[in-house]
Amino acid sequence: MSARTLTAWLDAVLAGSGWTAATMRDAAARPDGSPTTAALADGFAAAARARAVDSHPRGAR
Amino acid sequence: MSGVLFDAALRVSAADTGGPVPRLLHAPVRHRPVAVAVTARRAGASVKVRVVAADGTVHEGVGAAGLAAIATAAGGPGDALATGPTAVLADRVSLPLLARLAGQHTDPARESAAVLAGSAVAGWWSERADHPGSGAVCELLPVTRQRWVLGVPPGEDTAAMWRRALGVGGGARSALRWHRAVTAGEVLSGLSVTAADDDWLLERHRESVEAGRSWQVPESLGLAAQRLRSRCDAADVYAAALLEDPLWRARGVHTGHVLTGEATVGVLSNQGRIVVVADRLDTRLRVGSEVIGWPGPPIRERPGERFSGVVTATAVEGGALVVHIGSLGRTGYRPAASETVTVIAAPPSASTIRSARMMLARLYRRRFSWLSQGLTPEPVRRDVPLDVLIAAAEDDETNSDGREQD
């Protein structure tokens, strides 16, 4: 399992949107009003919020 | 599709940090007071069962002895049926094997108390496993994937990767540690209905065993109906419970389950109506949908103040979705002008579900109810109201596809 596998999957998911795994962060940073960029922006925002709120599960009880 | 893109961003974040990223801030399953880790494997013509108790003690046996091991690991036949331990499962093959084994050892005349208790508990696990959010069974991998993501494509996050990510290690008790990790924290409160159903069915099994009957047969029509009702309610209850979680609501904006926009009030507020204007057009809310809403964006914690109403109209105006919500209460919170609101479908009411179940039970107990008789009611013909006739005549202009006929 490698970063290459994730990149290939992201490229497949983003196919046709005009964005790729390499450019998806730019898409999220500057949403153009499309459902694609909105979903990516909200996903990254949720991840940031989740990391801030949720303690790391490692070693839970 | 947008839900997948939302998840893709979470997966990229997980890859960046090298650890799991939450999809939910709440635990998506309830944990019961006692949990046991169970595995079942074929052993010749029978099944070998291995159970790890909460204290790490391993109990195992083949066939009926395997069922007895379940009861022993849960503290004995009485405790097993009284508490109903959670079955912690690290694979998908164990439960079908346990269910088959349990069904072979239900005869009170032939089996010991421990075997009967283990059989009844395994039968309960098998039934409740079909109910999402149930605390009776916890399949570790699917539940973990519901709560967090790793920085890999969907489905490629193996159990070994999760064990490393959660730091649960190996050994006999690792499944129980994993279970504690995935159920840690606040549980989605909407799952209380499912938990009550877990207890209800366990109680039926316990009653059967204590009365010297098989927990499988005979089953009354009323019990069968209650079980079916529980099954029907579980999916709706779970879907609504997930929307209690702010992260899931943020995702729900992109699947159409959550509407967020700007509230317009004014003269309409005197009529118990508001209008919400949203940028996204892909809401699943339709005219007639009962909804609840509150101020703030979906990802913020849900405040105590909220409104409830019914969608009365939807339209697209100037590229924005305009949703009219009526039947708002005369008192309580109402959105102010230009306030951002979040609106979702009203969750199933626990009290309504309870009263519907009580009504169902009453009808099945009543001697002359058509439900308890198992008879289809005779059709009764009466005059058709004029407005129904007119509505039917209007429908004649469209075919079954909703298109106008030639």
Side-chain angles (χ1 to χ4, degrees), chain A residues 1 5-6 9-10 13-14 25 38-40 42-44 46-47 49-51 54 56-59 61, chain B residues 1-2 5-6 9-10 12-13 15-16 20 22 148 151-154 156 164-166 180 247 254 299:
Chain A
M1 202 61 57
T5 317
L6 181 63
W9 176 75
L10 290 169
V13 166
L14 291 164
R25 283 185 182 79
L40 292 173
D42 282 358
F44 280 114
R49 160 87 198 276
R51 281 199 303 270
D54 193 57
H56 196 285
R58 183 179 285 274
R61 280 191 289 173
Chain B
M1 188 60 187
S2 290
L5 293 170
F6 182 94
L10 298 185
V12 169
S13 299
D16 289 347
W148 294 290
V152 296
E156 296 192 11
R164 275 197 304 275
L166 300 178
R180 281 194 291 273
L247 297 183
H254 303 282
I299 200 167

mmCIF file of all heavy atoms in Angstrom, chain A residues 1 5-6 9-10 13-14 25 38-40 42-44 46-47 49-51 54 56-59 61, chain B residues 1-2 5-6 9-10 12-13 15-16 20 22 148 151-154 156 164-166 180 247 254 299:
data_model
loop_
_atom_site.group_PDB
_atom_site.id
_atom_site.type_symbol
_atom_site.label_atom_id
_atom_site.label_comp_id
_atom_site.label_asym_id
_atom_site.label_seq_id
_atom_site.Cartn_x
_atom_site.Cartn_y
_atom_site.Cartn_z
ATOM 1 N N MET A 1 0.851 -1.196 0.000
ATOM 2 C CA MET A 1 0.000 0.000 0.000
ATOM 3 C C MET A 1 0.887 1.247 0.000
ATOM 4 O O MET A 1 1.808 1.360 0.765
ATOM 5 C CB MET A 1 -0.861 -0.011 1.259
ATOM 6 C CG MET A 1 -2.090 0.814 1.145
ATOM 7 S SD MET A 1 -3.163 0.246 -0.149
ATOM 8 C CE MET A 1 -3.431 -1.450 0.359
ATOM 9 N N THR A 5 -0.926 4.389 -4.696
ATOM 10 C CA THR A 5 -2.244 3.763 -4.793
ATOM 11 C C THR A 5 -3.340 4.797 -4.528
ATOM 12 O O THR A 5 -4.342 4.857 -5.235
ATOM 13 C CB THR A 5 -2.380 2.628 -3.746
ATOM 14 O OG1 THR A 5 -1.183 1.887 -3.739
ATOM 15 C CG2 THR A 5 -3.561 1.743 -4.040
ATOM 16 N N LEU A 6 -3.120 5.597 -3.486
ATOM 17 C CA LEU A 6 -4.108 6.631 -3.154
ATOM 18 C C LEU A 6 -4.196 7.659 -4.283
ATOM 19 O O LEU A 6 -5.300 8.071 -4.668
ATOM 20 C CB LEU A 6 -3.725 7.320 -1.836
ATOM 21 C CG LEU A 6 -4.689 8.409 -1.360
ATOM 22 C CD1 LEU A 6 -6.072 7.835 -1.068
ATOM 23 C CD2 LEU A 6 -4.151 9.111 -0.110
ATOM 24 N N TRP A 9 -6.204 6.305 -7.122
ATOM 25 C CA TRP A 9 -7.633 6.292 -6.799
ATOM 26 C C TRP A 9 -8.211 7.713 -6.873
ATOM 27 O O TRP A 9 -9.296 7.920 -7.433
ATOM 28 C CB TRP A 9 -7.855 5.701 -5.399
ATOM 29 C CG TRP A 9 -9.290 5.746 -4.973
ATOM 30 C CD1 TRP A 9 -10.296 4.936 -5.416
ATOM 31 C CD2 TRP A 9 -9.880 6.668 -4.050
ATOM 32 N NE1 TRP A 9 -11.484 5.298 -4.813
ATOM 33 C CE2 TRP A 9 -11.262 6.351 -3.974
ATOM 34 C CE3 TRP A 9 -9.394 7.709 -3.272
ATOM 35 C CZ2 TRP A 9 -12.143 7.046 -3.154
ATOM 36 C CZ3 TRP A 9 -10.268 8.406 -2.455
ATOM 37 C CH2 TRP A 9 -11.628 8.079 -2.399
ATOM 38 N N LEU A 10 -7.484 8.675 -6.342
ATOM 39 C CA LEU A 10 -7.968 10.071 -6.376
ATOM 40 C C LEU A 10 -8.102 10.555 -7.813
ATOM 41 O O LEU A 10 -9.095 11.214 -8.164
ATOM 42 C CB LEU A 10 -6.999 10.976 -5.604
ATOM 43 C CG LEU A 10 -6.976 10.795 -4.086
ATOM 44 C CD1 LEU A 10 -5.791 11.537 -3.482
ATOM 45 C CD2 LEU A 10 -8.277 11.273 -3.460
ATOM 46 N N VAL A 13 -11.254 9.128 -9.165
ATOM 47 C CA VAL A 13 -12.451 9.762 -8.603
ATOM 48 C C VAL A 13 -12.667 11.157 -9.196
ATOM 49 O O VAL A 13 -13.794 11.577 -9.447
ATOM 50 C CB VAL A 13 -12.323 9.841 -7.058
ATOM 51 C CG1 VAL A 13 -13.348 10.771 -6.457
ATOM 52 C CG2 VAL A 13 -12.477 8.454 -6.453
ATOM 53 N N LEU A 14 -11.555 11.852 -9.434
ATOM 54 C CA LEU A 14 -11.647 13.240 -9.925
ATOM 55 C C LEU A 14 -11.712 13.321 -11.452
ATOM 56 O O LEU A 14 -11.832 14.433 -11.997
ATOM 57 C CB LEU A 14 -10.439 14.040 -9.424
ATOM 58 C CG LEU A 14 -10.407 14.306 -7.912
ATOM 59 C CD1 LEU A 14 -9.016 14.747 -7.469
ATOM 60 C CD2 LEU A 14 -11.431 15.372 -7.529
ATOM 61 N N ARG A 25 -5.903 20.124 -3.692
ATOM 62 C CA ARG A 25 -5.791 21.070 -2.581
ATOM 63 C C ARG A 25 -6.040 22.503 -3.071
ATOM 64 O O ARG A 25 -6.635 23.315 -2.373
ATOM 65 C CB ARG A 25 -4.425 20.960 -1.920
ATOM 66 C CG ARG A 25 -4.303 19.758 -1.014
ATOM 67 C CD ARG A 25 -2.975 19.771 -0.280
ATOM 68 N NE ARG A 25 -2.832 18.604 0.552
ATOM 69 C CZ ARG A 25 -2.500 17.410 0.110
ATOM 70 N NH1 ARG A 25 -2.279 17.218 -1.179
ATOM 71 N NH2 ARG A 25 -2.400 16.383 0.932
ATOM 72 N N ALA A 38 -16.611 22.349 -3.800
ATOM 73 C CA ALA A 38 -17.297 22.547 -2.510
ATOM 74 C C ALA A 38 -17.118 21.324 -1.612
ATOM 75 O O ALA A 38 -16.846 21.451 -0.408
ATOM 76 C CB ALA A 38 -18.776 22.820 -2.743
ATOM 77 N N ALA A 39 -17.267 20.130 -2.212
ATOM 78 C CA ALA A 39 -17.118 18.898 -1.420
ATOM 79 C C ALA A 39 -15.691 18.753 -0.905
ATOM 80 O O ALA A 39 -15.471 18.373 0.249
ATOM 81 C CB ALA A 39 -17.504 17.686 -2.267
ATOM 82 N N LEU A 40 -14.722 19.061 -1.756
ATOM 83 C CA LEU A 40 -13.324 18.948 -1.325
ATOM 84 C C LEU A 40 -13.019 19.961 -0.217
ATOM 85 O O LEU A 40 -12.384 19.629 0.786
ATOM 86 C CB LEU A 40 -12.392 19.176 -2.523
ATOM 87 C CG LEU A 40 -12.419 18.085 -3.605
ATOM 88 C CD1 LEU A 40 -11.583 18.506 -4.812
ATOM 89 C CD2 LEU A 40 -11.906 16.763 -3.051
ATOM 90 N N ASP A 42 -15.111 21.360 1.899
ATOM 91 C CA ASP A 42 -15.781 20.961 3.144
ATOM 92 C C ASP A 42 -15.107 19.738 3.765
ATOM 93 O O ASP A 42 -15.043 19.611 4.994
ATOM 94 C CB ASP A 42 -17.260 20.669 2.886
ATOM 95 C CG ASP A 42 -18.084 21.948 2.759
ATOM 96 O OD1 ASP A 42 -17.506 23.042 2.916
ATOM 97 O OD2 ASP A 42 -19.302 21.851 2.495
ATOM 98 N N GLY A 43 -14.623 18.839 2.931
ATOM 99 C CA GLY A 43 -13.942 17.645 3.443
ATOM 100 C C GLY A 43 -12.659 18.012 4.182
ATOM 101 O O GLY A 43 -12.412 17.525 5.289
ATOM 102 N N PHE A 44 -11.878 18.892 3.592
ATOM 103 C CA PHE A 44 -10.635 19.312 4.268
ATOM 104 C C PHE A 44 -10.958 20.095 5.552
ATOM 105 O O PHE A 44 -10.276 19.942 6.568
ATOM 106 C CB PHE A 44 -9.771 20.159 3.332
ATOM 107 C CG PHE A 44 -8.984 19.342 2.341
ATOM 108 C CD1 PHE A 44 -9.242 19.416 0.977
ATOM 109 C CD2 PHE A 44 -7.976 18.480 2.773
ATOM 110 C CE1 PHE A 44 -8.521 18.647 0.071
ATOM 111 C CE2 PHE A 44 -7.251 17.706 1.869
ATOM 112 C CZ PHE A 44 -7.525 17.792 0.511
ATOM 113 N N ALA A 46 -13.610 19.697 7.409
ATOM 114 C CA ALA A 46 -14.093 18.721 8.403
ATOM 115 C C ALA A 46 -12.918 17.967 9.021
ATOM 116 O O ALA A 46 -12.906 17.703 10.228
ATOM 117 C CB ALA A 46 -15.066 17.743 7.745
ATOM 118 N N ALA A 47 -11.943 17.622 8.189
ATOM 119 C CA ALA A 47 -10.769 16.901 8.710
ATOM 120 C C ALA A 47 -10.027 17.772 9.720
ATOM 121 O O ALA A 47 -9.595 17.281 10.772
ATOM 122 C CB ALA A 47 -9.850 16.510 7.559
ATOM 123 N N ARG A 49 -11.301 20.210 11.502
ATOM 124 C CA ARG A 49 -12.151 20.318 12.692
ATOM 125 C C ARG A 49 -12.071 19.025 13.524
ATOM 126 O O ARG A 49 -11.958 19.075 14.754
ATOM 127 C CB ARG A 49 -13.595 20.570 12.241
ATOM 128 C CG ARG A 49 -14.670 20.261 13.254
ATOM 129 C CD ARG A 49 -14.957 21.431 14.160
ATOM 130 N NE ARG A 49 -15.645 21.046 15.367
ATOM 131 C CZ ARG A 49 -16.965 20.890 15.468
ATOM 132 N NH1 ARG A 49 -17.723 21.125 14.429
ATOM 133 N NH2 ARG A 49 -17.520 20.548 16.614
ATOM 134 N N ALA A 50 -12.108 17.900 12.810
ATOM 135 C CA ALA A 50 -12.086 16.607 13.499
ATOM 136 C C ALA A 50 -10.785 16.422 14.276
ATOM 137 O O ALA A 50 -10.793 15.958 15.415
ATOM 138 C CB ALA A 50 -12.258 15.487 12.484
ATOM 139 N N ARG A 51 -9.684 16.807 13.641
ATOM 140 C CA ARG A 51 -8.395 16.640 14.322
ATOM 141 C C ARG A 51 -8.302 17.541 15.545
ATOM 142 O O ARG A 51 -7.689 17.198 16.547
ATOM 143 C CB ARG A 51 -7.243 16.939 13.359
ATOM 144 C CG ARG A 51 -6.948 15.789 12.411
ATOM 145 C CD ARG A 51 -5.553 15.935 11.817
ATOM 146 N NE ARG A 51 -5.393 17.200 11.134
ATOM 147 C CZ ARG A 51 -5.659 17.409 9.837
ATOM 148 N NH1 ARG A 51 -6.112 16.411 9.118
ATOM 149 N NH2 ARG A 51 -5.481 18.575 9.281
ATOM 150 N N ASP A 54 -11.365 15.788 18.078
ATOM 151 C CA ASP A 54 -11.302 14.386 18.462
ATOM 152 C C ASP A 54 -9.892 14.020 18.879
ATOM 153 O O ASP A 54 -8.957 14.182 18.109
ATOM 154 C CB ASP A 54 -11.734 13.519 17.266
ATOM 155 C CG ASP A 54 -11.987 12.089 17.662
ATOM 156 O OD1 ASP A 54 -12.824 11.863 18.538
ATOM 157 O OD2 ASP A 54 -11.340 11.215 17.083
ATOM 158 N N HIS A 56 -6.824 11.625 19.477
ATOM 159 C CA HIS A 56 -6.383 10.477 18.676
ATOM 160 C C HIS A 56 -6.831 9.197 19.350
ATOM 161 O O HIS A 56 -6.705 9.046 20.558
ATOM 162 C CB HIS A 56 -4.862 10.510 18.532
ATOM 163 C CG HIS A 56 -4.361 9.631 17.449
ATOM 164 N ND1 HIS A 56 -4.305 8.271 17.578
ATOM 165 C CD2 HIS A 56 -3.921 9.906 16.200
ATOM 166 C CE1 HIS A 56 -3.839 7.747 16.460
ATOM 167 N NE2 HIS A 56 -3.596 8.726 15.606
ATOM 168 N N PRO A 57 -7.421 8.279 18.564
ATOM 169 C CA PRO A 57 -7.954 7.059 19.171
ATOM 170 C C PRO A 57 -6.891 6.130 19.720
ATOM 171 O O PRO A 57 -7.190 5.238 20.469
ATOM 172 C CB PRO A 57 -8.699 6.390 18.007
ATOM 173 C CG PRO A 57 -8.041 6.920 16.780
ATOM 174 C CD PRO A 57 -7.626 8.319 17.107
ATOM 175 N N ARG A 58 -5.627 6.331 19.328
ATOM 176 C CA ARG A 58 -4.566 5.407 19.761
ATOM 177 C C ARG A 58 -4.523 5.305 21.288
ATOM 178 O O ARG A 58 -4.555 6.314 21.974
ATOM 179 C CB ARG A 58 -3.222 5.899 19.258
ATOM 180 C CG ARG A 58 -2.066 4.967 19.586
ATOM 181 C CD ARG A 58 -0.800 5.531 19.026
ATOM 182 N NE ARG A 58 -0.733 5.360 17.599
ATOM 183 C CZ ARG A 58 -0.264 4.269 16.992
ATOM 184 N NH1 ARG A 58 0.179 3.267 17.726
ATOM 185 N NH2 ARG A 58 -0.234 4.168 15.702
ATOM 186 N N GLY A 59 -4.497 4.079 21.765
ATOM 187 C CA GLY A 59 -4.356 3.844 23.189
ATOM 188 C C GLY A 59 -5.622 4.121 23.979
ATOM 189 O O GLY A 59 -5.560 4.280 25.202
ATOM 190 N N ARG A 61 -8.437 3.789 26.219
ATOM 191 C CA ARG A 61 -8.709 2.893 27.358
ATOM 192 C C ARG A 61 -7.911 1.613 27.287
ATOM 193 O O ARG A 61 -8.404 0.578 26.863
ATOM 194 C CB ARG A 61 -10.200 2.606 27.455
ATOM 195 C CG ARG A 61 -10.892 3.746 28.116
ATOM 196 C CD ARG A 61 -12.311 3.400 28.472
ATOM 197 N NE ARG A 61 -13.142 3.303 27.274
ATOM 198 C CZ ARG A 61 -14.384 2.893 27.247
ATOM 199 N NH1 ARG A 61 -14.957 2.520 28.346
ATOM 200 N NH2 ARG A 61 -15.095 2.832 26.153
ATOM 201 N N MET B 1 -21.934 11.251 -5.494
ATOM 202 C CA MET B 1 -20.551 11.433 -5.939
ATOM 203 C C MET B 1 -19.821 12.437 -5.058
ATOM 204 O O MET B 1 -18.671 12.243 -4.708
ATOM 205 C CB MET B 1 -20.555 11.902 -7.403
ATOM 206 C CG MET B 1 -19.178 11.936 -8.032
ATOM 207 S SD MET B 1 -18.400 10.294 -8.015
ATOM 208 C CE MET B 1 -16.774 10.672 -8.588
ATOM 209 N N SER B 2 -20.516 13.517 -4.671
ATOM 210 C CA SER B 2 -19.864 14.528 -3.849
ATOM 211 C C SER B 2 -19.499 13.979 -2.479
ATOM 212 O O SER B 2 -18.524 14.433 -1.882
ATOM 213 C CB SER B 2 -20.767 15.752 -3.700
ATOM 214 O OG SER B 2 -20.851 16.425 -4.922
ATOM 215 N N LEU B 5 -16.197 12.547 -2.799
ATOM 216 C CA LEU B 5 -15.168 13.593 -2.860
ATOM 217 C C LEU B 5 -14.890 14.158 -1.471
ATOM 218 O O LEU B 5 -13.744 14.469 -1.125
ATOM 219 C CB LEU B 5 -15.616 14.710 -3.812
ATOM 220 C CG LEU B 5 -15.712 14.291 -5.285
ATOM 221 C CD1 LEU B 5 -16.388 15.366 -6.107
ATOM 222 C CD2 LEU B 5 -14.319 14.003 -5.832
ATOM 223 N N PHE B 6 -15.953 14.313 -0.685
ATOM 224 C CA PHE B 6 -15.786 14.750 0.708
ATOM 225 C C PHE B 6 -14.883 13.758 1.439
ATOM 226 O O PHE B 6 -13.925 14.148 2.118
ATOM 227 C CB PHE B 6 -17.167 14.836 1.372
ATOM 228 C CG PHE B 6 -17.164 15.321 2.781
ATOM 229 C CD1 PHE B 6 -17.370 16.662 3.071
ATOM 230 C CD2 PHE B 6 -16.967 14.445 3.842
ATOM 231 C CE1 PHE B 6 -17.385 17.117 4.385
ATOM 232 C CE2 PHE B 6 -16.972 14.885 5.154
ATOM 233 C CZ PHE B 6 -17.188 16.230 5.420
ATOM 234 N N ALA B 9 -11.179 13.940 0.532
ATOM 235 C CA ALA B 9 -10.412 14.966 1.250
ATOM 236 C C ALA B 9 -9.988 14.447 2.635
ATOM 237 O O ALA B 9 -8.870 14.704 3.091
ATOM 238 C CB ALA B 9 -11.248 16.236 1.381
ATOM 239 N N LEU B 10 -10.895 13.701 3.289
ATOM 240 C CA LEU B 10 -10.536 13.116 4.592
ATOM 241 C C LEU B 10 -9.376 12.127 4.432
ATOM 242 O O LEU B 10 -8.456 12.083 5.259
ATOM 243 C CB LEU B 10 -11.736 12.388 5.208
ATOM 244 C CG LEU B 10 -13.002 13.190 5.545
ATOM 245 C CD1 LEU B 10 -14.011 12.286 6.246
ATOM 246 C CD2 LEU B 10 -12.684 14.379 6.440
ATOM 247 N N VAL B 12 -7.063 12.097 2.117
ATOM 248 C CA VAL B 12 -5.813 12.820 1.858
ATOM 249 C C VAL B 12 -5.274 13.392 3.177
ATOM 250 O O VAL B 12 -4.073 13.324 3.451
ATOM 251 C CB VAL B 12 -6.053 13.936 0.817
ATOM 252 C CG1 VAL B 12 -4.843 14.864 0.728
ATOM 253 C CG2 VAL B 12 -6.346 13.320 -0.542
ATOM 254 N N SER B 13 -6.164 13.916 4.007
ATOM 255 C CA SER B 13 -5.734 14.444 5.311
ATOM 256 C C SER B 13 -5.133 13.333 6.171
ATOM 257 O O SER B 13 -4.138 13.552 6.875
ATOM 258 C CB SER B 13 -6.922 15.079 6.047
ATOM 259 O OG SER B 13 -7.439 16.137 5.309
ATOM 260 N N ALA B 15 -3.683 10.645 5.043
ATOM 261 C CA ALA B 15 -2.371 10.301 4.479
ATOM 262 C C ALA B 15 -1.336 11.328 4.911
ATOM 263 O O ALA B 15 -0.182 10.976 5.203
ATOM 264 C CB ALA B 15 -2.468 10.243 2.955
ATOM 265 N N ASP B 16 -1.745 12.588 4.959
ATOM 266 C CA ASP B 16 -0.807 13.652 5.373
ATOM 267 C C ASP B 16 -0.338 13.445 6.810
ATOM 268 O O ASP B 16 0.832 13.647 7.136
ATOM 269 C CB ASP B 16 -1.490 15.024 5.266
ATOM 270 C CG ASP B 16 -1.693 15.440 3.815
ATOM 271 O OD1 ASP B 16 -1.098 14.804 2.931
ATOM 272 O OD2 ASP B 16 -2.463 16.395 3.575
ATOM 273 N N PRO B 20 -5.446 7.900 11.560
ATOM 274 C CA PRO B 20 -6.859 7.948 11.196
ATOM 275 C C PRO B 20 -7.447 9.357 11.346
ATOM 276 O O PRO B 20 -7.046 10.103 12.238
ATOM 277 C CB PRO B 20 -7.528 6.980 12.171
ATOM 278 C CG PRO B 20 -6.555 6.760 13.255
ATOM 279 C CD PRO B 20 -5.202 7.131 12.776
ATOM 280 N N PRO B 22 -11.233 11.235 11.767
ATOM 281 C CA PRO B 22 -12.635 10.874 12.058
ATOM 282 C C PRO B 22 -13.599 11.273 10.950
ATOM 283 O O PRO B 22 -13.473 12.344 10.363
ATOM 284 C CB PRO B 22 -12.938 11.674 13.331
ATOM 285 C CG PRO B 22 -11.619 12.046 13.906
ATOM 286 C CD PRO B 22 -10.690 12.189 12.740
ATOM 287 N N TRP B 148 -13.823 6.261 11.274
ATOM 288 C CA TRP B 148 -12.593 6.934 10.835
ATOM 289 C C TRP B 148 -12.253 6.524 9.412
ATOM 290 O O TRP B 148 -12.790 5.535 8.899
ATOM 291 C CB TRP B 148 -11.403 6.524 11.722
ATOM 292 C CG TRP B 148 -11.467 6.947 13.140
ATOM 293 C CD1 TRP B 148 -11.351 8.218 13.637
ATOM 294 C CD2 TRP B 148 -11.632 6.106 14.299
ATOM 295 N NE1 TRP B 148 -11.440 8.203 15.006
ATOM 296 C CE2 TRP B 148 -11.613 6.925 15.441
ATOM 297 C CE3 TRP B 148 -11.792 4.737 14.468
ATOM 298 C CZ2 TRP B 148 -11.744 6.421 16.731
ATOM 299 C CZ3 TRP B 148 -11.927 4.227 15.744
ATOM 300 C CH2 TRP B 148 -11.901 5.073 16.870
ATOM 301 N N GLY B 151 -5.504 6.882 5.226
ATOM 302 C CA GLY B 151 -5.055 7.500 3.978
ATOM 303 C C GLY B 151 -4.826 6.507 2.864
ATOM 304 O O GLY B 151 -3.758 6.492 2.235
ATOM 305 N N VAL B 152 -5.821 5.661 2.636
ATOM 306 C CA VAL B 152 -5.766 4.672 1.554
ATOM 307 C C VAL B 152 -7.120 4.659 0.859
ATOM 308 O O VAL B 152 -8.109 5.145 1.425
ATOM 309 C CB VAL B 152 -5.443 3.251 2.093
ATOM 310 C CG1 VAL B 152 -4.067 3.205 2.718
ATOM 311 C CG2 VAL B 152 -6.513 2.802 3.081
ATOM 312 N N PRO B 153 -7.201 4.108 -0.354
ATOM 313 C CA PRO B 153 -8.502 4.031 -1.024
ATOM 314 C C PRO B 153 -9.497 3.193 -0.211
ATOM 315 O O PRO B 153 -9.085 2.342 0.575
ATOM 316 C CB PRO B 153 -8.185 3.347 -2.363
ATOM 317 C CG PRO B 153 -6.732 3.609 -2.587
ATOM 318 C CD PRO B 153 -6.107 3.614 -1.222
ATOM 319 N N PRO B 154 -10.796 3.429 -0.400
ATOM 320 C CA PRO B 154 -11.810 2.677 0.351
ATOM 321 C C PRO B 154 -11.662 1.168 0.126
ATOM 322 O O PRO B 154 -11.415 0.739 -0.993
ATOM 323 C CB PRO B 154 -13.146 3.169 -0.232
ATOM 324 C CG PRO B 154 -12.839 4.315 -1.106
ATOM 325 C CD PRO B 154 -11.379 4.383 -1.342
ATOM 326 N N GLU B 156 -9.344 -0.756 1.073
ATOM 327 C CA GLU B 156 -7.966 -1.260 1.146
ATOM 328 C C GLU B 156 -7.370 -1.078 2.543
ATOM 329 O O GLU B 156 -6.195 -1.359 2.767
ATOM 330 C CB GLU B 156 -7.098 -0.575 0.086
ATOM 331 C CG GLU B 156 -7.577 -0.928 -1.316
ATOM 332 C CD GLU B 156 -6.616 -0.530 -2.407
ATOM 333 O OE1 GLU B 156 -5.475 -0.154 -2.091
ATOM 334 O OE2 GLU B 156 -7.014 -0.597 -3.575
ATOM 335 N N ARG B 164 -2.730 -1.377 13.829
ATOM 336 C CA ARG B 164 -1.566 -0.492 14.015
ATOM 337 C C ARG B 164 -2.021 0.938 14.301
ATOM 338 O O ARG B 164 -1.523 1.596 15.207
ATOM 339 C CB ARG B 164 -0.687 -0.513 12.759
ATOM 340 C CG ARG B 164 0.318 -1.636 12.711
ATOM 341 C CD ARG B 164 1.407 -1.380 11.675
ATOM 342 N NE ARG B 164 0.881 -1.154 10.342
ATOM 343 C CZ ARG B 164 0.574 -2.118 9.483
ATOM 344 N NH1 ARG B 164 0.745 -3.380 9.834
ATOM 345 N NH2 ARG B 164 0.113 -1.832 8.279
ATOM 346 N N ALA B 165 -2.988 1.406 13.499
ATOM 347 C CA ALA B 165 -3.426 2.806 13.616
ATOM 348 C C ALA B 165 -4.050 3.091 14.983
ATOM 349 O O ALA B 165 -3.867 4.171 15.555
ATOM 350 C CB ALA B 165 -4.430 3.118 12.513
ATOM 351 N N LEU B 166 -4.789 2.103 15.511
ATOM 352 C CA LEU B 166 -5.469 2.307 16.796
ATOM 353 C C LEU B 166 -4.601 1.883 17.972
ATOM 354 O O LEU B 166 -4.978 2.092 19.132
ATOM 355 C CB LEU B 166 -6.798 1.536 16.826
ATOM 356 C CG LEU B 166 -7.820 1.941 15.744
ATOM 357 C CD1 LEU B 166 -9.067 1.063 15.842
ATOM 358 C CD2 LEU B 166 -8.206 3.406 15.881
ATOM 359 N N ARG B 180 -13.112 -1.314 22.458
ATOM 360 C CA ARG B 180 -13.166 -0.163 23.366
ATOM 361 C C ARG B 180 -12.787 1.119 22.638
ATOM 362 O O ARG B 180 -13.351 2.179 22.862
ATOM 363 C CB ARG B 180 -12.255 -0.395 24.577
ATOM 364 C CG ARG B 180 -12.902 -1.308 25.627
ATOM 365 C CD ARG B 180 -12.148 -1.239 26.949
ATOM 366 N NE ARG B 180 -10.831 -1.837 26.857
ATOM 367 C CZ ARG B 180 -10.582 -3.125 27.035
ATOM 368 N NH1 ARG B 180 -11.562 -3.952 27.326
ATOM 369 N NH2 ARG B 180 -9.355 -3.600 26.932
ATOM 370 N N LEU B 247 -19.813 16.169 11.860
ATOM 371 C CA LEU B 247 -19.021 15.802 10.685
ATOM 372 C C LEU B 247 -19.887 15.111 9.634
ATOM 373 O O LEU B 247 -19.730 15.327 8.438
ATOM 374 C CB LEU B 247 -17.854 14.894 11.078
ATOM 375 C CG LEU B 247 -16.802 15.479 12.011
ATOM 376 C CD1 LEU B 247 -15.676 14.474 12.230
ATOM 377 C CD2 LEU B 247 -16.247 16.776 11.461
ATOM 378 N N HIS B 254 -23.440 17.347 0.964
ATOM 379 C CA HIS B 254 -23.024 16.925 -0.383
ATOM 380 C C HIS B 254 -23.737 15.662 -0.849
ATOM 381 O O HIS B 254 -23.498 15.200 -1.958
ATOM 382 C CB HIS B 254 -21.503 16.740 -0.405
ATOM 383 C CG HIS B 254 -20.798 17.990 0.006
ATOM 384 N ND1 HIS B 254 -20.627 19.055 -0.835
ATOM 385 C CD2 HIS B 254 -20.305 18.383 1.216
ATOM 386 C CE1 HIS B 254 -20.028 20.040 -0.192
ATOM 387 N NE2 HIS B 254 -19.818 19.654 1.065
ATOM 388 N N ILE B 299 -21.777 22.000 10.360
ATOM 389 C CA ILE B 299 -20.640 21.408 11.079
ATOM 390 C C ILE B 299 -20.555 21.897 12.524
ATOM 391 O O ILE B 299 -19.843 21.329 13.338
ATOM 392 C CB ILE B 299 -19.322 21.704 10.325
ATOM 393 C CG1 ILE B 299 -18.238 20.700 10.753
ATOM 394 C CG2 ILE B 299 -18.886 23.155 10.516
ATOM 395 C CD1 ILE B 299 -17.030 20.700 9.859
#
